[in-house]
């Protein structure tokens, strides 16, 4: 035996172990009772009496166990619990409501065991009852929270369905309106060109007014075309599956399709070695890259040779596409909140419709990605597009 084991244990107060078995039964933290096979009570502890508000002489030999339950509980005990006791000798954790002397109820769990005599005949039932008031409150709170969550979920589902329907109706309206307006606007442009060709204006103020009208007409046509593009692209994407696309090839194709004179005067640097491919609907990726690259060319800073860098790199759960330029930049402190709003423009001196960045953001969100933008005025802009793999 080790020295530690040989050390004398501390003296115990023997009064702590001198338990009275009758007191343990009477003051137990649960209700105890014994009854005959028909339910007649023959013994009950003080805990159960205190719960119920009865004196012992009011219950023992005068009442049955099942009479302590509510009407529904009594029917359940007689039709289910008592036959089950006779069949298997015990029951566990059956929920009942005790009816107190003052008419209030107490939720309890019943455990019971059937004792038999030497001949195997039912002799006595010993029952233990546990107060589950707090447990019942907790269960009811859970049910209430679940009902609220279900109601909230149903409300969100209804709202989502409503928003989906409204978005569809808005897309149809925008498409119809842009289609109906395009022809009259084109006719106006044709008539205006014919007017300029055939008419003679002697007023010296006519020339600048004609130029202003021409600019306004071109802006109207650009806005109509932008509206049509937004809806048409959305309808295409709903029908086009994702595919594996080589980033180098599609980017080079887009650069070739940019206005030749503009693209020829731009230095493009492409690096897709880290992540050479991306799975996405081809029209979506084409539109996304085309708008970013065309903006990089369009908003070049006068007097500085434009440079555009396009990179891919792995990111958590997917990849990040980076498009950076050395152009005019955007004042994000002033315009950051409106950056992806439809028809919002930040360089009015450069022709445009204000649709490009709106489309880019919409396409990225539809692909379950997100955008990060950094920009410094007169230094350039960087778009970082995070997309899932």
């Amino acid at each position: 035996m080790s020295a530690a084991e040989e050390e004398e244990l501390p003296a115990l107060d023997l009064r702590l172990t001198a338990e009275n078995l009758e007191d343990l039964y009477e003051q137990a933290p649960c209700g105890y009772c014994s009854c005959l096979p028909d339910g007649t009570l023959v013994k009950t502890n003080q805990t159960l009496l205190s719960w119920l508000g009865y004196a012992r002489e009011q219950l023992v030999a005068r009442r049955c166990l099942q009479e302590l339950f509510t009407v529904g509980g009594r029917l359940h005990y007689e039709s289910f619990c008592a036959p089950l006791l006779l069949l298997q000798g015990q029951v566990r954790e059956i929920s009942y409501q005790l009816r107190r002397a003052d008419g209030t109820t107490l939720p309890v769990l019943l455990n019971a065991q059937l004792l038999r005599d030497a001949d195997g005949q039912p002799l006595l039932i010993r029952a233990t009852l546990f107060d589950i008031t707090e447990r019942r409150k907790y269960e009811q709170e859970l049910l209430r929270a679940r009902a609220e969550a279900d109601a909230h979920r149903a409300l969100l589902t209804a709202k989502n369905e409503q928003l989906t329907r409204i978005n569809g109706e808005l897309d149809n309206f925008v498409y119809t309106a842009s289609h109906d307006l395009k022809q009259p606007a084109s006719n106006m442009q044709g008539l205006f060109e014919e007017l300029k060709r055939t008419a003679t204006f002697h007023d010296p103020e006519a020339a600048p007014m004609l130029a202003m009208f021409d600019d306004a007409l071109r802006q109207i046509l650009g806005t109509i075309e932008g509206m049509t593009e937004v809806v048409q692209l959305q309808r295409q994407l709903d029908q086009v599956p994702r595919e594996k696309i080589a980033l180098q090839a599609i980017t080079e194709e887009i650069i070739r399709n940019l206005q030749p004179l503009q693209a020829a005067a731009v230095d493009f640097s492409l690096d897709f070695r880290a992540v050479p491919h991306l799975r996405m609907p081809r029209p979506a990726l084409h539109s996304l890259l085309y708008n970013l690259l065309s903006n990089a060319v369009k908003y070049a800073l006068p007097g500085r040779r434009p440079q555009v860098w396009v990179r891919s790199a792995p990111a958590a759960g997917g990849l990040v596409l980076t498009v950076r330029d050395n152009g005019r930049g955007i004042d994000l402190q002033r315009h950051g909140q409106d950056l992806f709003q439809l028809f919002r423009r930040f360089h009015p001196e450069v022709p445009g419709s204000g649709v490009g960045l709106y489309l880019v953001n919409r396409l990225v969100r539809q692909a379950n990605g997100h955008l990060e933008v950094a920009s410094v005025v007169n230094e350039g802009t960087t778009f970082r597009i995070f997309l899932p793999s």
Side-chain angles (χ1 to χ4, degrees), residues 166-243:
I166 291 173
N167 284 337
E169 292 172 352
L170 285 175
D171 281 349
N172 289 332
F173 170 77
V174 169
Y175 180 77
T176 302
S178 61
H179 181 271
D180 292 345
L181 290 172
K182 186 173 184 179
Q183 189 60 47
S186 298
N187 291 341
M188 288 175 62
Q189 186 179 38
L191 291 171
F192 183 65
E193 293 297 330
E194 183 64 19
L195 178 65
K196 289 194 297 182
R197 188 182 67 82
T198 59
T200 302
F201 299 92
H202 300 289
D203 189 338
E205 296 183 0
M209 292 180 63
L210 291 173
M212 291 172 60
F213 185 83
D214 191 28
D215 289 342
L217 192 56
R218 292 181 185 277
Q219 186 175 356
I220 290 174
L221 285 170
T223 300
I224 292 172
E225 290 175 358
M227 293 166 62
T228 304
E229 181 183 0
V230 169
V231 179
Q232 284 182 335
L233 182 62
Q234 180 64 46
R235 291 182 174 182
Q236 288 178 5
L237 295 179
D238 291 339
Q239 302 174 357
V240 177
R242 292 174 49 179
E243 60 178 289

Side-chain angles (χ1 to χ4, degrees), residues 41-61:
L41 290 166
V42 294
K43 190 175 183 180
T44 180
N45 72 344
Q46 186 58 45
T47 300
L48 182 58
L49 294 173
S50 299
W51 286 354
L52 295 172
Y54 286 110
R56 196 181 306 273
E57 57 271 16
Q58 291 178 284
L59 298 183
V60 173

Side-chain angles (χ1 to χ4, degrees), residues 11-63:
L12 295 176
D13 188 341
L14 295 181
R15 289 175 301 174
L16 299 177
T17 61
E19 295 282 6
N20 184 303
L21 294 181
E22 185 65 24
D23 186 61
L24 281 176
Y25 175 82
E26 291 292 344
Q27 305 301 328
C30 57
Y32 284 125
C33 66
S34 300
C35 56
L36 299 177
D38 66 356
T40 301
L41 290 166
V42 294
K43 190 175 183 180
T44 180
N45 72 344
Q46 186 58 45
T47 300
L48 182 58
L49 294 173
S50 299
W51 286 354
L52 295 172
Y54 286 110
R56 196 181 306 273
E57 57 271 16
Q58 291 178 284
L59 298 183
V60 173
R62 295 179 179 275
R63 303 286 291 274

Side-chain angles (χ1 to χ4, degrees), residues 34-252:
S34 300
C35 56
L36 299 177
D38 66 356
T40 301
L41 290 166
V42 294
K43 190 175 183 180
T44 180
N45 72 344
Q46 186 58 45
T47 300
L48 182 58
L49 294 173
S50 299
W51 286 354
L52 295 172
Y54 286 110
R56 196 181 306 273
E57 57 271 16
Q58 291 178 284
L59 298 183
V60 173
R62 295 179 179 275
R63 303 286 291 274
C64 294
L65 173 62
Q66 58 268 34
E67 293 177 0
L68 303 180
F69 302 146
T70 58
V71 174
R74 178 173 181 173
L75 291 174
H76 182 274
Y77 180 88
E78 293 175 347
S79 61
F80 176 80
C81 186
L84 191 61
L85 267 173
L86 291 174
L87 181 65
Q88 62 183 28
Q90 66 176 2
V91 294
R92 293 182 57 82
E93 295 191 349
I94 298 180
S95 177
Y96 288 112
Q97 292 274 352
L98 292 178
R99 184 170 294 282
R100 297 187 178 101
D102 61 6
T104 61
T105 59
L106 176 72
V108 294
L109 283 182
L110 168 72
N111 291 341
Q113 186 174 11
L114 177 67
L115 302 182
R116 297 179 182 272
D117 60 18
D119 297 327
Q121 297 300 313
L123 178 64
L124 188 71
I125 296 173
R126 288 177 178 168
T128 307
L129 299 131
F130 297 92
D131 181 357
I132 58 169
T133 301
E134 295 303 319
R135 170 176 165 175
R136 183 63 55 83
K137 289 180 180 178
Y138 176 69
E139 290 174 347
Q140 291 174 347
E141 182 64 23
L142 285 180
L143 290 174
R144 185 192 62 79
R146 180 177 179 180
E148 290 181 356
D150 289 343
H152 187 60
R153 189 180 301 110
L155 180 61
L156 287 178
T157 300
K159 289 290 186 183
N160 286 336
E161 292 175 352
Q162 183 182 19
L163 288 175
T164 300
R165 185 179 68 255
I166 291 173
N167 284 337
E169 292 172 352
L170 285 175
D171 281 349
N172 289 332
F173 170 77
V174 169
Y175 180 77
T176 302
S178 61
H179 181 271
D180 292 345
L181 290 172
K182 186 173 184 179
Q183 189 60 47
S186 298
N187 291 341
M188 288 175 62
Q189 186 179 38
L191 291 171
F192 183 65
E193 293 297 330
E194 183 64 19
L195 178 65
K196 289 194 297 182
R197 188 182 67 82
T198 59
T200 302
F201 299 92
H202 300 289
D203 189 338
E205 296 183 0
M209 292 180 63
L210 291 173
M212 291 172 60
F213 185 83
D214 191 28
D215 289 342
L217 192 56
R218 292 181 185 277
Q219 186 175 356
I220 290 174
L221 285 170
T223 300
I224 292 172
E225 290 175 358
M227 293 166 62
T228 304
E229 181 183 0
V230 169
V231 179
Q232 284 182 335
L233 182 62
Q234 180 64 46
R235 291 182 174 182
Q236 288 178 5
L237 295 179
D238 291 339
Q239 302 174 357
V240 177
R242 292 174 49 179
E243 60 178 289
K244 186 177 181 180
I245 305 170
L247 291 170
Q248 183 81 23
I250 193 170
T251 306
E252 290 176 349

Side-chain angles (χ1 to χ4, degrees), residues 204-366:
E205 296 183 0
M209 292 180 63
L210 291 173
M212 291 172 60
F213 185 83
D214 191 28
D215 289 342
L217 192 56
R218 292 181 185 277
Q219 186 175 356
I220 290 174
L221 285 170
T223 300
I224 292 172
E225 290 175 358
M227 293 166 62
T228 304
E229 181 183 0
V230 169
V231 179
Q232 284 182 335
L233 182 62
Q234 180 64 46
R235 291 182 174 182
Q236 288 178 5
L237 295 179
D238 291 339
Q239 302 174 357
V240 177
R242 292 174 49 179
E243 60 178 289
K244 186 177 181 180
I245 305 170
L247 291 170
Q248 183 81 23
I250 193 170
T251 306
E252 290 176 349
E253 175 189 343
I254 291 170
I255 293 172
R256 288 193 300 268
N257 290 335
L258 292 174
Q259 294 183 13
L261 292 178
Q262 288 182 324
V266 180
D267 293 330
F268 288 95
S269 174
L270 310 181
D271 183 3
F272 302 112
R273 289 173 295 179
V275 183
H277 296 89
L278 169 64
R279 292 192 64 85
M280 193 173 180
R282 180 173 289 273
L285 181 58
H286 186 280
S287 179
L288 188 156
L289 286 173
Y290 178 84
N291 279 289
L292 289 179
L293 294 178
S294 62
N295 278 355
V297 173
K298 182 190 303 182
Y299 296 105
L301 187 68
R304 178 191 297 163
R305 184 173 178 83
Q307 291 182 297
V308 181
W309 297 265
V310 189
R311 302 282 188 273
S312 66
L319 81 158
V320 55
L321 275 176
T322 303
V323 179
R324 180 167 65 92
D325 64 59
N326 65 340
R328 298 170 187 252
I330 304 171
D331 185 348
L332 294 180
Q333 186 173 1
R334 181 181 178 187
H335 301 299
Q337 296 295 326
D338 302 323
L339 194 60
F340 301 112
Q341 296 298 314
L342 187 60
F343 302 133
R344 293 305 301 270
R345 303 184 63 247
F346 314 109
H347 299 288
E349 70 278 9
V350 180
S353 63
V355 173
L357 290 184
Y358 170 83
L359 270 178
V360 168
N361 186 52
R362 183 166 179 174
L363 291 169
V364 171
R365 288 180 177 275
Q366 188 166 357

